[in-house]
């Protein structure tokens, strides 16, 4: 009867390898990553369409925001012109009708009560502006 000598690692003398070689797996994953990186932008391009030409110039987009200011005394300013707070909705309605998607910024003095700021925001909503952003100062 012949006995084989076993080494300390549990393998026989002929050197049976008990480790998994991950190099081919990594190579395949890197190739797949490159394929997807190249193919993804091509899939996102959309449906090719031959668009018609328009004789008119494109409609200019209003990007200049409308700035409202509520100062310490409770006065309301549209841009730099003071406006009566009681007629704020009537003053803003034509502006909202002309450009309802125009960005609106509200600058309010920090000492103004929350209710006064909400009154101006409610007037903006009632006039037809859907969204308004509150402007603050960045802390140093």
């Amino acid at each position: 009867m012949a006995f084989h000598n076993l080494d300390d690692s549990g393998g026989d003398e002929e050197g049976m390898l008990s480790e998994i070689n991950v190099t081919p797996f990594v190579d395949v994953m890197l190739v797949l990553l490159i394929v997807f990186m190249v193919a993804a932008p091509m899939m996102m391009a959309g449906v090719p369409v031959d668009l018609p030409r328009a004789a008119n110039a494109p409609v200019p987009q209003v990007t200049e925001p409308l700035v409202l200011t509520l100062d310490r005394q409770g006065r309301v300013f549209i841009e730099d012109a003071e406006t009566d707070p009681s007629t704020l909705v009537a003053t803003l309605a034509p502006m909202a009708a002309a450009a309802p998607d125009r960005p609106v910024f509200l600058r309010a003095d920090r000492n103004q009560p929350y209710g006064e700021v909400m009154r101006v925001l409610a007037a903006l909503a009632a006039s037809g502006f859907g969204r308004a952003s509150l402007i603050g100062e960045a802390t140093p």
Side-chain angles (χ1 to χ4, degrees), residues 70-82:
L70 180 62
D71 71 355
R72 184 180 291 245
Q73 290 79 26
R75 297 179 299 182
V76 178
F77 293 84
I78 299 176
E79 300 294 339
D80 293 329
E82 186 174 355

Side-chain angles (χ1 to χ4, degrees), residues 27-119:
D27 289 343
V28 169
M29 288 297 115
L30 289 175
V31 168
L32 287 174
L33 177 67
I34 291 170
V35 166
F36 283 118
M37 287 173 57
V38 170
M42 292 178 192
M43 289 187 277
M44 297 306 234
V47 178
V49 176
D50 187 18
L51 296 174
R53 306 255 185 249
N56 297 351
V59 177
Q61 297 294 322
V62 177
T63 57
E64 188 66 30
L66 177 65
V67 179
L68 272 74
T69 305
L70 180 62
D71 71 355
R72 184 180 291 245
Q73 290 79 26
R75 297 179 299 182
V76 178
F77 293 84
I78 299 176
E79 300 294 339
D80 293 329
E82 186 174 355
T83 305
D84 183 17
S86 62
T87 61
L88 189 57
V89 174
T91 306
L92 290 172
M95 295 178 193
D101 294 333
R102 184 176 182 185
V104 179
F105 296 151
L106 175 59
R107 299 172 59 233
D109 190 275
R110 76 175 70 203
N111 295 316
Q112 278 296 323
Y114 182 70
E116 291 299 312
V117 175
M118 286 304 297
R119 181 180 54 82

